[in-house]
Amino acid sequence: MRIITGTPGGVVVQTVTDAAPAEAPRAPAAAPQEALQSAVMQPALQAMKDMPDIDHARVAELRDALAKGELPFNAGKLAGLIQRFHGSEK
């Protein structure tokens, strides 16, 4: 038996047997976004919405520091991190 909570109308109970073929559980119908967000999260969400997507001044500052050699850059380390994140795809 599976019990799924978080649905707008209450709780969904599914009966699952070992002989039944594996099936992905169906997601409950999406509720309006406002109903899913608590009042505690509202100020943080609004602050994020008010922030610019890119801090252009900071990008320019970092670009200048890199060009002047004031900010260390290790291309080998960056390549290793990219490979670790994306894995080896052959």
Side-chain angles (χ1 to χ4, degrees), residues 12 15 34 36 43 49-50:
V12 175
T15 304
E34 296 82 32
L36 297 177
K49 288 178 184 175
D50 293 341

Side-chain angles (χ1 to χ4, degrees), residues 26-81:
R26 292 187 179 106
Q33 188 174 4
E34 296 82 32
L36 297 177
Q37 297 170 353
S38 69
V40 174
M41 292 297 294
Q42 292 299 326
L45 290 170
Q46 188 58 47
M48 286 180 58
K49 288 178 184 175
D50 293 341
M51 291 176 60
D53 289 335
I54 298 172
D55 185 349
H56 294 284
R58 181 71 175 145
V59 170
E61 181 182 322
L62 291 171
R63 183 182 304 124
D64 292 342
L66 275 171
K68 294 175 185 175
E70 297 170 350
L71 185 65
F73 177 73
N74 184 334
K77 184 175 180 179
L78 177 61
L81 291 170

